[in-house]
Amino acid sequence: MSDSMEYITVCQLMRTHGVKGYIKAMPLTHDLTRHAKLKDVLLKKTNGEEVELTLEDSRLANDIWLLKFKGYDTPESVQHFVNGDLMIPESERLPLPEGEYYLDDLEGFRVHTEDGRDIGEVIDVQELPTVNAFNIKFAPEFQKEFSDKSILAPWIDDCVLEIDEDGKFIVCDSDYLKALCPEDRDIPNSGDRGPRDIGGEAR
């Protein structure tokens, strides 16, 4: 595998299984059948060492993968793989169903308000316990209106109104964003609109 390739993690190896060299893995993909399409993979061990492996066999057991690598035929031979990340080239990443997104693809998207203003940038998207959230940094000219600090805007319909993949921007409700900002900001005509419930389903 080329050193210049970008890799993504498809599963995390857990513990050995049986006596023939199988190891359990926790899938990190929306497609639980993805294991059947894997062949040449890159393992990043917990000590940082990287090992190129070839899948010889794989099975789905409930929501867990059972993987067998070529040339590794005993539990002892794969014990040092435990807790490692199994990766593939980013070019082999599966397309998502319409309306779903890889979180890292949204990094760098611009943030627009419903009236079309470009007010900032998505630094990253964070997976929180109850909902994913956009980490937003406001442009200097809008920091007095919003905040000079980044905020976490929940990925719910009340806050995030639209995601435009082609234009690489998200549209947010400006009043909702203001309600999330620190109270010491300088907001003209902010009104008395308070924060709303930010619960909801994670995407």
Side-chain angles (χ1 to χ4, degrees):
M1 296 186 182
S2 171
D3 292 339
S4 62
M5 285 185 181
E6 295 290 333
Y7 291 89
I8 58 169
T9 302
V10 290
C11 68
Q12 184 178 61
L13 301 183
M14 300 167 65
R15 58 184 181 274
T16 62
H17 176 80
V19 297
K20 297 183 178 180
Y22 281 86
I23 189 167
K24 291 185 175 183
M26 174 64 69
L28 300 175
T29 171
H30 66 285
D31 183 358
L32 291 180
T33 67
R34 182 72 172 97
H35 67 92
K37 305 178 184 71
L38 299 176
K39 184 179 179 184
D40 295 321
V41 295
L42 184 68
L43 169 68
K44 187 170 185 178
K45 297 168 60 175
T46 54
N47 64 2
E49 180 186 354
E50 295 181 350
V51 182
E52 294 185 9
L53 300 170
T54 300
L55 257 294
E56 185 175 84
D57 188 29
S58 63
R59 308 170 192 168
L60 180 64
N62 296 321
D63 293 335
I64 299 297
W65 292 345
L66 299 178
L67 306 179
K68 169 72 172 63
F69 301 111
K70 186 175 181 179
Y72 296 87
D73 303 318
T74 65
E76 294 76 16
S77 66
V78 293
Q79 178 62 43
H80 60 294
F81 293 169
V82 170
N83 294 327
D85 292 329
L86 210 63
M87 303 185 296
I88 59 172
E90 189 173 18
S91 59
E92 296 180 13
R93 184 164 64 176
L94 294 176
L96 286 172
E98 185 176 355
E100 296 186 18
Y101 309 90
Y102 288 111
L103 300 188
D104 56 355
D105 284 349
L106 301 173
E107 294 178 10
F109 272 39
R110 302 302 301 173
V111 179
H112 292 182
T113 56
E114 64 274 26
D115 57 4
R117 293 183 299 161
D118 183 337
I119 63 171
E121 180 181 8
V122 175
I123 300 174
D124 57 31
V125 184
Q126 299 185 12
E127 296 184 72
L128 304 180
T130 59
V131 68
N132 293 335
F134 290 91
N135 187 11
I136 293 174
K137 178 69 173 177
F138 296 104
E141 61 269 31
F142 293 101
Q143 290 179 1
K144 282 188 176 182
E145 181 180 351
F146 292 94
S147 175
D148 60 357
K149 301 177 177 64
S150 63
I151 64 166
L152 290 178
W155 192 342
I156 59 175
D157 292 340
D158 280 351
C159 180
V160 181
L161 307 178
E162 180 186 350
I163 297 177
D164 189 315
E165 285 190 275
D166 295 331
K168 295 190 178 300
F169 65 85
I170 65 172
V171 178
C172 292
D173 183 291
S174 57
D175 286 336
Y176 201 110
L177 294 182
K178 290 174 185 177
L180 297 170
C181 292
E183 291 300 322
D184 59 355
R185 69 193 188 282
D186 178 16
I187 303 180
N189 301 320
S190 60
D192 59 358
R193 189 171 183 178
R196 290 169 284 178
D197 178 14
I198 61 172
E201 293 183 352
R203 305 191 184 193

